[in-house]
Amino acid sequence: MSGLDGQNPLVLVDRENHSFSVARRSFVDPVILEAERERIFSRCWLYLGHESELAKPGDFVTRQVGGRHVIFAKNPKGEFRALLNTCAHRGARVCRERSGNAKSFQCFYHGWIFGLDGNLRHLPDEEAYPEGFKDRPSSGLKPVPRFERYRGFAFVCFDENAVPLTDYLGKATEYIDIVADQSEAGMTVVGGTQEYSIRANWKLLAENSYDGYHAATNHATYLDYLRNTNGGLANVALVGEGRDLGNGHAVVEYKAPWGRPVAQWIPMWGEQGKTEIDAIFARLVERHGQERAERIATRNRNLVIFPNLVINDIMAVTIRTFYPVSTDYMQINAWALGPSEESSWAREYRLFNFLEFLGPGGFATPDDIEALEQCQRGYANAGEVAWNDISKGMNRNPPAYDDEAQMRAFWTQWNSRIGGTAA
């Protein structure tokens, strides 16, 4: 498979010998990063936000997505909009607030005022402009080229010719449905945004997000903590499998012994917790039937939507995105997600689980950050030690949850966009 120069490969696959290798150059070469920005982040569907973040007309949040500044807003008609946060006049960012509720957005530079639909509403000294200037499409805030939603998750794409969102998500919709079906009233983002950074290449976090192989060693402290906590674990074996979902998306789905607010009880939660969990599970059965209810309640999922959306449905539900600033530095945003109707008891334990394991100060994330940053430092030797091995499980079908089939799915898609045609 050819690299960017047409000669040096970035991914090597030897199916006969069950070998899959990725060039460490892929993590350090600024030419590759520029290609990723053009061929991946400018052409793939990217997560923008969740509908629950905009509860009322006039609500908005501002985000950086794929290197662009975007306003995600709900207009007075209750319609969701995604607008490029750039004034049509001189290019200044129009909205400088992170979130809020507004009837319009005013550019602080020259005072142009835009509606939540993006249309230009007012500009000072309007008579100095030709008749109809305010109504020209080019005078307003430009909509993102493509904006679509699925089950409350809102996505944008900067390629007007991209396939529809549901086609892009493909088989991954099954797992988004499982998350959305946890609630009868709708899932909601809980609290604010967690923001942090990692001094490592963005693709390392994509790999790590469904890498079951590292848990026993890298997260040994957390597992020991649960074992030593009275009632901290259920009598459930850690077992599951990885799945390639197409288009670079992949998932690991597995059973695990920790508690899940929807709906796996652990003794530490006591009798009140058992009553709560039993009621949650009964409602799941009523809505979805026994088999699907058990899958929703007792199985965990680490889902990666190519290129940079992670949905962890484990001891809590987390939405996480990440974007490269440089070859060795990324910025991460994360949100907790939960059923909007859940009780205060369930919400308390959901947030406890979220912060304890998944938060930037929890048991898992600092471990992962250290591992990824040490990998990035090790790539200083990429000239002499040139390849990462991602072969685990190639000789096994179906692959286990701690094999690397899901990473191979990611790299095959990445290589088809960046380095050549996968063999």
Side-chain angles (χ1 to χ4, degrees):
M1 289 170 280
S2 62
L4 288 176
D5 58 8
Q7 297 178 351
N8 297 316
L10 299 174
V11 175
L12 290 176
V13 182
D14 183 348
R15 301 188 189 281
E16 183 178 349
N17 294 300
H18 305 295
S19 175
F20 192 108
S21 303
V22 174
R24 291 177 179 170
R25 171 188 164 209
S26 305
F27 301 95
V28 298
D29 190 338
V31 174
I32 290 176
L33 176 60
E34 287 307 308
E36 290 172 339
R37 286 174 172 153
E38 176 190 349
R39 304 177 194 179
I40 293 177
F41 291 102
S42 293
R43 299 181 187 177
C44 292
W45 283 95
L46 305 175
Y47 178 74
L48 173 62
H50 195 267
E51 291 178 2
S52 64
E53 296 179 85
L54 309 179
K56 305 184 299 295
D59 283 353
F60 69 88
V61 296
T62 57
R63 300 260 156 85
Q64 268 197 279
V65 181
R68 283 83 161 175
H69 295 279
V70 178
I71 302 171
F72 181 32
K74 181 182 279 190
N75 70 19
K77 298 179 181 179
E79 300 166 335
F80 293 95
R81 301 298 302 270
L83 306 167
L84 292 167
N85 191 7
T86 303
C87 186
H89 183 214
R90 296 288 184 85
R93 277 196 310 145
V94 173
C95 183
R96 295 177 291 162
E97 301 296 325
R98 303 291 298 274
S99 62
N101 185 277
K103 295 181 178 179
S104 60
F105 301 114
Q106 181 173 9
C107 180
F108 80 102
Y109 194 8
H110 294 93
W112 287 28
I113 298 175
F114 304 89
L116 273 73
D117 56 5
N119 293 332
L120 179 61
R121 301 298 189 200
H122 172 76
L123 68 164
D125 200 14
E126 184 177 342
E127 58 272 16
Y129 291 87
E131 184 178 353
F133 176 85
K134 191 172 63 174
D135 300 322
R136 293 176 183 174
S138 60
S139 297
L141 295 178
K142 187 173 182 178
V144 172
R146 298 286 296 277
F147 171 59
E148 295 181 24
R149 311 189 313 278
Y150 182 79
R151 298 301 303 271
F153 294 81
F155 293 78
V156 295
C157 184
F158 302 104
D159 180 3
E160 292 182 350
N161 299 315
V163 299
L165 174 62
T166 52
D167 291 353
Y168 181 79
L169 294 175
K171 295 178 183 178
T173 58
E174 173 186 346
Y175 297 91
I176 296 175
D177 289 344
I178 289 172
V179 171
D181 286 347
Q182 293 178 17
S183 173
E184 49 199 299
M187 298 292 281
T188 186
V189 167
V190 181
T193 306
Q194 293 183 345
E195 299 178 349
Y196 55 101
S197 60
I198 303 177
R199 296 190 178 280
N201 188 274
W202 69 277
K203 298 184 290 297
L204 287 171
L205 185 54
E207 288 184 349
N208 183 79
S209 297
Y210 38 28
D211 175 11
Y213 194 26
H214 77 285
T217 50
N218 199 40
H219 299 317
T221 301
Y222 177 68
L223 296 173
D224 288 343
Y225 159 75
L226 290 179
R227 291 188 192 101
N228 294 322
T229 299
N230 187 25
L233 294 172
N235 186 24
V236 175
L238 190 58
V239 61
E241 61 185 42
R243 297 192 183 103
D244 178 350
L245 303 175
N247 294 337
H249 319 317
V251 67
V252 287
E253 187 172 27
Y254 54 99
K255 289 194 172 184
W258 47 69
R260 286 170 50 83
V262 57
Q264 180 166 287
W265 179 78
I266 53 175
M268 185 177 70
W269 290 347
E271 288 306 309
Q272 179 189 354
K274 193 170 191 313
T275 300
E276 291 263 2
I277 292 297
D278 287 347
I280 291 170
F281 184 73
R283 290 196 296 272
L284 288 174
V285 172
E286 183 180 341
R287 297 200 310 275
H288 305 296
Q290 184 75 25
E291 183 178 351
R292 184 169 179 80
E294 288 183 358
R295 186 181 182 193
I296 291 171
T298 66
R299 294 182 72 85
N300 299 261
R301 285 152 287 273
N302 295 52
L303 171 67
V304 176
I305 305 295
F306 188 89
N308 67 332
L309 169 63
V310 176
I311 303 175
N312 286 326
D313 176 14
I314 45 180
M315 67 284 295
V317 181
T318 305
I319 305 169
R320 181 182 290 156
T321 64
F322 42 97
Y323 184 74
V325 177
S326 62
T327 58
D328 59 357
Y329 187 77
M330 69 179 112
Q331 294 178 332
I332 300 97
N333 292 279
W335 301 265
L337 191 71
S340 57
E341 76 275 14
E342 71 182 351
S343 69
S344 58
W345 178 91
R347 182 62 54 85
E348 177 184 350
Y349 278 100
R350 175 179 301 280
L351 292 179
F352 178 80
N353 286 354
F354 175 66
L355 295 171
E356 179 186 59
F357 186 73
L358 294 161
F363 277 97
T365 300
D367 292 341
D368 290 334
I369 290 173
E370 177 67 12
L372 304 193
E373 291 186 347
Q374 289 299 329
C375 287
Q376 193 68 39
R377 290 170 188 167
Y379 297 153
N381 298 335
E384 292 73 33
V385 189
W387 297 93
N388 279 0
D389 180 84
I390 308 181
S391 302
K392 187 174 185 293
M394 284 187 76
N395 60 343
R396 190 153 49 188
N397 189 27
Y401 79 95
D402 57 355
D403 285 336
E404 295 170 338
Q406 52 278 6
M407 291 178 229
R408 292 190 288 273
F410 174 91
W411 280 107
T412 299
Q413 176 70 9
W414 179 89
N415 191 64
S416 71
R417 291 177 177 270
I418 296 298
T421 302

